[in-house]
Coordinates of all heavy atoms in Angstrom, one line a residue:
H31 N -10.6 -5.2 2.2 CA -11.6 -5.8 3.1 C -12.5 -6.8 2.3 O -12.8 -6.6 1.1 CB -12.4 -4.7 3.7 CG -11.6 -3.7 4.5 ND1 -11.3 -3.9 5.8 CD2 -11.0 -2.6 4.1 CE1 -10.6 -2.9 6.3 NE2 -10.4 -2.1 5.2
N32 N -12.9 -7.8 3.0 CA -13.7 -8.8 2.4 C -15.2 -8.3 2.3 O -15.6 -7.5 3.1 CB -13.7 -10.1 3.3 CG -14.4 -11.2 2.6 OD1 -14.3 -11.5 1.4 ND2 -15.2 -12.0 3.4
D33 N -15.8 -8.8 1.2 CA -17.3 -8.5 1.1 C -17.9 -9.8 0.5 O -17.2 -10.6 0.0 CB -17.6 -7.3 0.3 CG -17.1 -7.3 -1.1 OD1 -17.6 -8.1 -1.9 OD2 -16.2 -6.6 -1.5
D34 N -19.2 -9.9 0.4 CA -19.8 -11.0 -0.1 C -20.1 -11.0 -1.6 O -20.8 -11.8 -2.1 CB -21.2 -11.3 0.7 CG -20.9 -11.7 2.1 OD1 -19.9 -12.2 2.4 OD2 -21.8 -11.4 2.9
F35 N -19.7 -9.9 -2.3 CA -20.1 -9.7 -3.7 C -18.9 -9.7 -4.6 O -19.0 -10.1 -5.8 CB -20.8 -8.4 -3.8 CG -22.1 -8.4 -2.9 CD1 -22.0 -7.7 -1.7 CD2 -23.2 -9.1 -3.3 CE1 -23.2 -7.7 -0.9 CE2 -24.3 -9.1 -2.4 CZ -24.3 -8.4 -1.3
T36 N -17.8 -9.2 -4.2 CA -16.6 -9.1 -5.1 C -16.0 -10.4 -5.4 O -15.8 -11.2 -4.5 CB -15.5 -8.1 -4.5 OG1 -16.1 -6.9 -4.2 CG2 -14.4 -7.9 -5.5
S37 N -15.8 -10.8 -6.7 CA -15.3 -12.1 -7.1 C -13.8 -12.2 -6.6 O -13.1 -11.2 -6.6 CB -15.4 -12.3 -8.5 OG -14.5 -11.5 -9.3
M38 N -13.4 -13.4 -6.3 CA -12.0 -13.7 -6.0 C -11.1 -13.4 -7.2 O -10.0 -12.9 -7.0 CB -11.9 -15.1 -5.6 CG -12.6 -15.5 -4.3 SD -12.3 -17.2 -3.9 CE -13.1 -17.3 -2.3
D39 N -11.6 -13.7 -8.4 CA -10.7 -13.4 -9.6 C -10.5 -11.9 -9.7 O -9.4 -11.5 -10.1 CB -11.4 -13.9 -10.8 CG -11.4 -15.5 -10.9 OD1 -10.6 -16.1 -10.2 OD2 -12.3 -16.0 -11.6
F40 N -11.5 -11.1 -9.4 CA -11.3 -9.7 -9.6 C -10.3 -9.2 -8.5 O -9.4 -8.3 -8.8 CB -12.6 -8.9 -9.4 CG -12.5 -7.4 -9.5 CD1 -12.3 -6.8 -10.7 CD2 -12.5 -6.6 -8.4 CE1 -12.1 -5.5 -10.9 CE2 -12.4 -5.3 -8.5 CZ -12.2 -4.7 -9.7
V41 N -10.4 -9.7 -7.3 CA -9.4 -9.3 -6.2 C -8.0 -9.7 -6.6 O -7.1 -8.8 -6.5 CB -9.8 -10.0 -4.9 CG1 -8.7 -9.7 -3.8 CG2 -11.2 -9.4 -4.4
V42 N -7.8 -10.8 -7.2 CA -6.5 -11.2 -7.6 C -6.0 -10.3 -8.7 O -4.9 -9.9 -8.8 CB -6.5 -12.7 -8.1 CG1 -5.2 -13.1 -8.8 CG2 -6.7 -13.7 -6.9
E43 N -6.9 -10.0 -9.7 CA -6.5 -9.1 -10.8 C -6.1 -7.7 -10.3 O -5.1 -7.2 -10.7 CB -7.8 -9.0 -11.7 CG -7.5 -8.1 -12.9 CD -8.8 -8.0 -13.8 OE1 -9.5 -9.1 -14.0 OE2 -9.1 -6.9 -14.2
V44 N -6.8 -7.2 -9.3 CA -6.5 -5.9 -8.7 C -5.2 -6.0 -8.0 O -4.3 -5.1 -8.1 CB -7.6 -5.4 -7.8 CG1 -7.1 -4.2 -6.9 CG2 -8.9 -5.0 -8.6
L45 N -4.9 -7.0 -7.2 CA -3.7 -7.2 -6.5 C -2.5 -7.2 -7.5 O -1.4 -6.7 -7.2 CB -3.7 -8.4 -5.6 CG -4.6 -8.3 -4.4 CD1 -4.8 -9.7 -3.8 CD2 -4.0 -7.3 -3.4
E46 N -2.7 -7.9 -8.6 CA -1.6 -8.0 -9.6 C -1.4 -6.6 -10.3 O -0.3 -6.2 -10.6 CB -1.9 -9.1 -10.6 CG -1.8 -10.5 -10.1 CD -2.3 -11.5 -11.0 OE1 -2.6 -11.2 -12.2 OE2 -2.2 -12.7 -10.6
S47 N -2.5 -6.0 -10.7 CA -2.4 -4.8 -11.5 C -2.0 -3.5 -10.7 O -1.2 -2.7 -11.1 CB -3.6 -4.5 -12.4 OG -4.7 -4.3 -11.6
V48 N -2.7 -3.3 -9.6 CA -2.5 -2.1 -8.8 C -1.3 -2.2 -7.9 O -0.5 -1.3 -7.7 CB -3.8 -1.7 -8.0 CG1 -3.5 -0.6 -7.1 CG2 -4.9 -1.5 -8.9
F49 N -1.1 -3.4 -7.2 CA -0.1 -3.6 -6.2 C 1.1 -4.4 -6.8 O 2.0 -4.6 -6.0 CB -0.7 -4.2 -5.0 CG -1.7 -3.4 -4.3 CD1 -3.1 -3.6 -4.6 CD2 -1.4 -2.3 -3.5 CE1 -4.0 -2.8 -4.0 CE2 -2.3 -1.5 -2.9 CZ -3.7 -1.8 -3.1
H50 N 1.1 -4.8 -8.0 CA 2.2 -5.4 -8.7 C 2.6 -6.7 -8.0 O 3.8 -7.0 -7.8 CB 3.4 -4.5 -8.9 CG 3.0 -3.2 -9.6 ND1 2.6 -3.2 -10.9 CD2 2.8 -2.0 -9.1 CE1 2.3 -1.9 -11.2 NE2 2.4 -1.2 -10.2
K51 N 1.6 -7.5 -7.5 CA 1.9 -8.8 -6.9 C 2.0 -9.9 -7.9 O 1.3 -9.8 -8.9 CB 0.8 -9.1 -5.9 CG 0.6 -8.1 -4.8 CD 1.8 -8.0 -3.9 CE 1.6 -7.0 -2.7 NZ 2.8 -6.8 -2.0
S52 N 2.8 -10.9 -7.6 CA 2.9 -12.0 -8.5 C 1.6 -12.8 -8.3 O 0.8 -12.6 -7.3 CB 4.0 -12.9 -8.0 OG 3.8 -13.5 -6.8
P53 N 1.2 -13.6 -9.3 CA 0.0 -14.4 -9.2 C -0.1 -15.3 -7.9 O -1.1 -15.3 -7.2 CB 0.0 -15.3 -10.4 CG 0.8 -14.6 -11.4 CD 1.9 -13.9 -10.6
T54 N 1.0 -15.8 -7.5 CA 1.1 -16.6 -6.2 C 0.8 -15.7 -5.0 O 0.0 -16.1 -4.1 CB 2.4 -17.3 -6.1 OG1 2.6 -18.1 -7.2 CG2 2.5 -18.2 -4.8
E55 N 1.5 -14.6 -4.9 CA 1.3 -13.7 -3.8 C -0.1 -13.1 -3.8 O -0.8 -13.0 -2.8 CB 2.3 -12.6 -3.9 CG 2.3 -11.6 -2.7 CD 2.7 -12.1 -1.4 OE1 3.2 -13.3 -1.3 OE2 2.7 -11.4 -0.4
A56 N -0.6 -12.8 -5.0 CA -2.0 -12.2 -5.1 C -3.0 -13.2 -4.6 O -4.0 -12.9 -3.9 CB -2.3 -11.8 -6.5
N57 N -2.8 -14.5 -5.0 CA -3.7 -15.6 -4.5 C -3.7 -15.7 -2.9 O -4.7 -15.9 -2.3 CB -3.5 -16.9 -5.2 CG -4.2 -17.0 -6.5 OD1 -5.4 -17.0 -6.5 ND2 -3.5 -17.0 -7.6
R58 N -2.4 -15.6 -2.4 CA -2.3 -15.8 -0.9 C -3.0 -14.6 -0.2 O -3.7 -14.9 0.8 CB -0.8 -15.8 -0.6 CG -0.5 -16.1 0.9 CD 0.9 -15.8 1.3 NE 1.3 -14.4 1.1 CZ 1.0 -13.5 2.0 NH1 0.1 -13.6 3.0 NH2 1.4 -12.2 1.8
I59 N -2.8 -13.4 -0.7 CA -3.5 -12.3 -0.1 C -5.0 -12.4 -0.2 O -5.7 -12.1 0.7 CB -3.0 -10.9 -0.7 CG1 -1.5 -10.8 -0.4 CG2 -3.8 -9.7 -0.2 CD1 -0.8 -9.7 -1.2
M60 N -5.5 -12.8 -1.4 CA -6.9 -12.9 -1.6 C -7.5 -14.0 -0.6 O -8.6 -13.7 -0.1 CB -7.2 -13.4 -3.1 CG -8.6 -13.6 -3.4 SD -9.2 -15.3 -3.1 CE -8.2 -16.3 -4.1
L61 N -6.8 -15.0 -0.4 CA -7.3 -16.0 0.6 C -7.3 -15.5 2.0 O -8.2 -15.8 2.7 CB -6.5 -17.3 0.5 CG -6.7 -18.1 -0.8 CD1 -5.7 -19.3 -0.9 CD2 -8.1 -18.6 -0.9
N62 N -6.3 -14.7 2.3 CA -6.4 -14.0 3.6 C -7.6 -13.1 3.7 O -8.2 -13.1 4.8 CB -5.1 -13.2 3.9 CG -4.0 -14.0 4.4 OD1 -4.1 -15.1 5.0 ND2 -2.7 -13.4 4.3
I63 N -7.8 -12.4 2.7 CA -9.0 -11.5 2.7 C -10.3 -12.3 2.9 O -11.1 -11.9 3.7 CB -9.0 -10.6 1.4 CG1 -7.8 -9.7 1.3 CG2 -10.3 -9.9 1.3 CD1 -7.6 -9.1 0.0
H64 N -10.4 -13.4 2.1 CA -11.6 -14.2 2.1 C -11.8 -14.9 3.5 O -12.9 -14.8 4.0 CB -11.5 -15.3 1.1 CG -12.7 -16.2 0.9 ND1 -13.9 -15.7 0.5 CD2 -12.8 -17.5 1.3 CE1 -14.7 -16.7 0.5 NE2 -14.1 -17.8 1.0
F65 N -10.8 -15.4 4.1 CA -10.9 -16.2 5.3 C -10.8 -15.4 6.6 O -11.3 -15.7 7.6 CB -10.0 -17.4 5.3 CG -10.3 -18.5 4.3 CD1 -9.5 -18.8 3.3 CD2 -11.5 -19.2 4.5 CE1 -9.8 -19.8 2.4 CE2 -11.9 -20.2 3.5 CZ -11.0 -20.4 2.5
K66 N -10.0 -14.3 6.5 CA -9.7 -13.5 7.7 C -10.4 -12.2 7.7 O -10.3 -11.4 8.7 CB -8.2 -13.3 7.9 CG -7.5 -14.6 8.1 CD -6.0 -14.4 8.3 CE -5.3 -15.7 8.5 NZ -3.8 -15.5 8.7
G67 N -11.1 -11.8 6.6 CA -11.8 -10.6 6.6 C -11.1 -9.4 6.0 O -11.7 -8.4 5.6
M68 N -9.8 -9.5 6.0 CA -8.9 -8.4 5.4 C -7.6 -8.9 5.1 O -7.1 -9.9 5.7 CB -9.0 -7.2 6.2 CG -7.8 -6.9 7.2 SD -7.8 -5.4 8.0 CE -9.3 -5.5 9.0
G69 N -6.9 -8.3 4.2 CA -5.5 -8.7 3.9 C -4.7 -7.4 3.6 O -5.2 -6.4 3.1
M70 N -3.4 -7.5 3.9 CA -2.5 -6.4 3.6 C -2.0 -6.4 2.2 O -1.4 -7.4 1.8 CB -1.3 -6.3 4.6 CG -0.5 -5.1 4.5 SD 0.9 -5.0 5.6 CE 2.0 -6.2 5.0
C71 N -2.1 -5.3 1.5 CA -1.7 -5.3 0.1 C -0.3 -4.7 -0.1 O 0.4 -4.9 -1.1 CB -2.7 -4.4 -0.7 SG -4.4 -5.0 -0.7
G72 N 0.2 -4.0 0.9 CA 1.5 -3.4 0.9 C 1.6 -2.2 1.9 O 0.7 -1.8 2.5
I73 N 2.9 -1.7 1.9 CA 3.2 -0.6 2.9 C 3.8 0.5 2.0 O 4.7 0.3 1.3 CB 4.1 -1.0 4.0 CG1 3.5 -2.1 4.8 CG2 4.5 0.2 4.8 CD1 4.4 -2.7 5.9
F74 N 3.2 1.7 2.1 CA 3.5 2.8 1.2 C 3.5 4.1 2.0 O 3.0 4.2 3.1 CB 2.5 2.9 0.1 CG 2.3 1.7 -0.7 CD1 1.2 0.8 -0.3 CD2 3.1 1.3 -1.7 CE1 1.0 -0.3 -1.0 CE2 2.9 0.0 -2.3 CZ 1.9 -0.8 -2.0
S75 N 4.1 5.2 1.4 CA 3.9 6.5 1.9 C 2.4 6.9 1.8 O 1.7 6.3 1.1 CB 4.8 7.5 1.1 OG 4.2 7.7 -0.2
H76 N 2.0 7.9 2.5 CA 0.6 8.3 2.6 C 0.0 8.6 1.2 O -1.0 8.1 0.8 CB 0.5 9.5 3.5 CG -0.9 9.9 3.8 ND1 -1.7 10.8 3.0 CD2 -1.8 9.5 4.8 CE1 -2.9 10.9 3.5 NE2 -3.0 10.1 4.6
E77 N 0.8 9.4 0.4 CA 0.3 9.8 -0.9 C 0.1 8.6 -1.8 O -0.9 8.4 -2.6 CB 1.2 10.8 -1.6 CG 1.2 12.2 -0.9 CD 2.1 12.2 0.4 OE1 2.9 11.2 0.6 OE2 1.9 13.1 1.2
I78 N 1.1 7.7 -1.8 CA 1.0 6.5 -2.7 C -0.1 5.6 -2.2 O -0.8 5.0 -3.0 CB 2.4 5.8 -2.7 CG1 3.4 6.7 -3.5 CG2 2.3 4.4 -3.4 CD1 4.8 6.2 -3.5
A79 N -0.3 5.4 -0.9 CA -1.3 4.6 -0.4 C -2.7 5.1 -0.8 O -3.6 4.4 -1.2 CB -1.2 4.5 1.2
E80 N -2.9 6.4 -0.7 CA -4.1 7.1 -1.1 C -4.4 6.8 -2.6 O -5.5 6.5 -3.0 CB -4.1 8.6 -0.8 CG -4.5 8.9 0.6 CD -4.6 10.5 0.8 OE1 -3.9 11.2 0.0 OE2 -5.3 10.9 1.7
T81 N -3.4 7.0 -3.4 CA -3.5 6.8 -4.8 C -3.9 5.4 -5.2 O -4.8 5.2 -6.0 CB -2.2 7.2 -5.5 OG1 -1.9 8.6 -5.2 CG2 -2.3 7.0 -7.0
K82 N -3.3 4.4 -4.5 CA -3.6 3.0 -4.8 C -5.0 2.7 -4.3 O -5.8 2.0 -5.0 CB -2.6 2.1 -4.1 CG -1.2 2.2 -4.9 CD -0.3 1.1 -4.4 CE 1.1 1.2 -5.1 NZ 1.0 0.8 -6.5
I83 N -5.4 3.2 -3.2 CA -6.8 3.0 -2.7 C -7.8 3.6 -3.7 O -8.8 2.9 -4.0 CB -7.0 3.5 -1.3 CG1 -6.2 2.7 -0.3 CG2 -8.4 3.6 -0.9 CD1 -6.1 3.3 1.1
D84 N -7.6 4.8 -4.1 CA -8.5 5.4 -5.1 C -8.6 4.6 -6.4 O -9.6 4.5 -6.9 CB -8.0 6.8 -5.4 CG -8.2 7.8 -4.3 OD1 -8.9 7.5 -3.3 OD2 -7.6 8.9 -4.3
R85 N -7.4 4.1 -6.8 CA -7.4 3.3 -8.0 C -8.3 2.0 -7.8 O -9.0 1.6 -8.7 CB -6.0 2.9 -8.4 CG -5.8 2.1 -9.7 CD -6.1 3.0 -10.9 NE -5.9 2.2 -12.1 CZ -6.8 2.2 -13.0 NH1 -7.9 2.9 -13.0 NH2 -6.6 1.4 -14.1
V86 N -8.1 1.3 -6.7 CA -8.9 0.1 -6.4 C -10.4 0.4 -6.4 O -11.2 -0.3 -7.0 CB -8.5 -0.5 -5.1 CG1 -9.4 -1.6 -4.6 CG2 -7.0 -1.1 -5.1
H87 N -10.7 1.5 -5.7 CA -12.2 1.9 -5.6 C -12.7 2.2 -7.0 O -13.9 1.8 -7.3 CB -12.3 3.1 -4.7 CG -12.1 2.7 -3.2 ND1 -12.0 3.6 -2.2 CD2 -12.0 1.5 -2.6 CE1 -11.8 3.0 -1.1 NE2 -11.7 1.7 -1.3
A88 N -11.9 2.9 -7.9 CA -12.4 3.2 -9.2 C -12.6 1.9 -10.0 O -13.6 1.8 -10.7 CB -11.4 4.2 -9.9
L89 N -11.6 1.0 -10.0 CA -11.7 -0.2 -10.7 C -13.0 -1.0 -10.3 O -13.7 -1.6 -11.1 CB -10.5 -1.1 -10.6 CG -9.2 -0.6 -11.3 CD1 -8.0 -1.4 -10.8 CD2 -9.4 -0.7 -12.8
A90 N -13.2 -1.1 -8.9 CA -14.3 -1.9 -8.4 C -15.6 -1.2 -8.8 O -16.5 -1.9 -9.2 CB -14.2 -1.9 -6.9
R91 N -15.7 0.1 -8.7 CA -16.9 0.8 -9.1 C -17.2 0.5 -10.6 O -18.4 0.3 -11.0 CB -16.7 2.3 -8.9 CG -18.0 3.1 -9.1 CD -17.8 4.6 -8.7 NE -16.6 5.2 -9.2 CZ -15.5 5.5 -8.4 NH1 -15.5 5.3 -7.1 NH2 -14.4 6.1 -8.9
D92 N -16.2 0.6 -11.5 CA -16.4 0.3 -12.9 C -17.0 -1.1 -13.2 O -17.7 -1.3 -14.1 CB -15.1 0.5 -13.6 CG -14.7 2.0 -13.7 OD1 -15.5 2.9 -13.4 OD2 -13.5 2.2 -14.1
E93 N -16.6 -2.0 -12.3 CA -17.0 -3.4 -12.5 C -18.3 -3.7 -11.7 O -18.8 -4.8 -11.7 CB -15.9 -4.4 -12.1 CG -14.7 -4.3 -13.0 CD -15.0 -4.8 -14.4 OE1 -15.8 -5.7 -14.6 OE2 -14.5 -4.1 -15.4

Side-chain angles (χ1 to χ4, degrees):
H31 302 272
N32 189 38
D33 62 65
D34 293 332
F35 303 101
T36 306
S37 72
M38 292 179 178
D39 290 337
F40 181 75
V41 171
V42 169
E43 184 181 314
V44 167
L45 289 166
E46 290 176 0
S47 65
V48 175
F49 296 98
H50 307 290
K51 300 296 183 185
S52 69
T54 303
E55 182 72 1
N57 275 293
R58 186 190 64 74
I59 295 168
M60 178 273 297
L61 290 172
N62 276 341
I63 295 165
H64 181 70
F65 290 115
K66 297 181 180 179
M68 98 175 62
M70 186 178 72
C71 303
I73 299 176
F74 309 96
S75 69
H76 189 271
E77 294 78 16
I78 292 173
E80 276 186 335
T81 301
K82 289 188 180 287
I83 289 170
D84 289 345
R85 183 74 180 127
V86 169
H87 291 167
L89 288 169
R91 186 175 46 251
D92 290 348
E93 294 296 320

